[in-house]
Amino acid sequence: MLRDLDFRLVGGGFYFLAGPSGAGKTSLLKLLYLARRATRGRIRLFGEELAEIPRSGLPALRRRIGVVFQDFRLIPHLSVFDNVALPLRIAGVDEEEIEGTVREMLDWAGLGERSSARPPTLSGGEQQRVAIARAVINRPDLIVADEPTGNVDAEMAKRLMHLFTALNRLGTTILIATHDVGLIKATPGAQLLRIEQGTLSDPTGALKYPPGQSARTASPAP
């Protein structure tokens, strides 16, 4: 159970959410990407109070959030191209526009030659890059990633982190849940939130309350 949370993510920031298994990392991420609603407390996303938004207004908010799962969650019978194109099709984007946008995204992710492949034929690293491409195809304001390097080797983890860093440089706010301390140390400029037994702690003394104007806040979320 999450409790007594009070924190802010500054727009355009790069954050890691660290903590042991069962500490509440995934539960907190679910609140942020709107898979779960808080039973008490307040959550503000993009300047809006979630409690005041009707269910009909949630899809528009979700389109501003990209989610990357550790287990990829790709649709196995769809090609790489169609998996990445899915958010655009759901949003009603014209097919001609989808073609160019998805091709460009696949090239950026190093998957241009794998566009017709099905997920079961891909390596773990390739599947994760497809998942990242799908998460960012709508140019979201916030990327939330749950242990995105947990199923890949160290070299592929570095490559994936380069993709996240590139997105961050374009102004996207990044929040990555991980237990990999080496990954955190290898990402200069990233800030750290640590969660233990459902609440945030601040062992470094510097990163629990990042300075600057808030773009997204949660205060508190159970």
Side-chain angles (χ1 to χ4, degrees), residues 132-209:
I132 292 173
R134 181 184 60 187
V136 305
I137 193 69
N138 270 334
R139 308 293 184 186
D141 297 303
L142 171 65
I143 295 290
V144 176
D146 192 0
E147 301 281 4
T149 61
N151 288 326
V152 300
D153 60 31
E155 189 59 36
M156 181 53 66
K158 290 180 181 179
R159 185 168 184 177
L160 295 175
M161 289 308 301
H162 284 314
L163 296 181
F164 286 117
T165 300
L167 288 166
N168 181 245
R169 288 172 180 164
L170 294 174
T172 303
T173 305
I174 308 290
L175 176 62
I176 298 176
T178 185
H179 63 275
D180 188 342
V181 176
L183 202 66
I184 298 171
K185 291 181 177 179
T187 310
Q191 295 182 291
L192 176 66
L193 297 167
R194 181 168 178 82
I195 190 167
E196 296 179 352
Q197 298 181 346
T199 191
L200 291 173
S201 61
D202 190 16
T204 67
L207 301 174
K208 184 176 180 181
Y209 301 106

Side-chain angles (χ1 to χ4, degrees), residues 17-31:
L17 176 64
S21 297
K25 297 191 297 296
T26 297
S27 295
L28 177 53
L29 295 187
K30 285 181 177 180
L31 289 175

Side-chain angles (χ1 to χ4, degrees), residues 98-133:
I98 288 175
E99 177 73 21
T101 301
V102 173
R103 296 292 178 193
E104 181 181 356
M105 181 61 67
L106 291 178
D107 287 341
W108 173 81
L111 294 163
E113 297 182 355
R114 303 292 277 157
S115 63
S116 61
R118 298 295 192 272
T121 70
L122 303 178
S123 69
E126 287 173 329
Q127 290 186 63
Q128 193 58 289
R129 279 184 282 153
V130 175
I132 292 173

Side-chain angles (χ1 to χ4, degrees), residues 31-52:
L31 289 175
L32 292 178
Y33 64 77
L34 308 181
R36 180 180 298 173
R37 301 197 78 165
T39 55
R40 62 185 176 86
R42 298 185 304 118
I43 299 178
R44 288 176 58 86
L45 281 173
F46 315 118
E48 298 188 61
E49 291 279 356
L50 289 189
E52 299 174 1

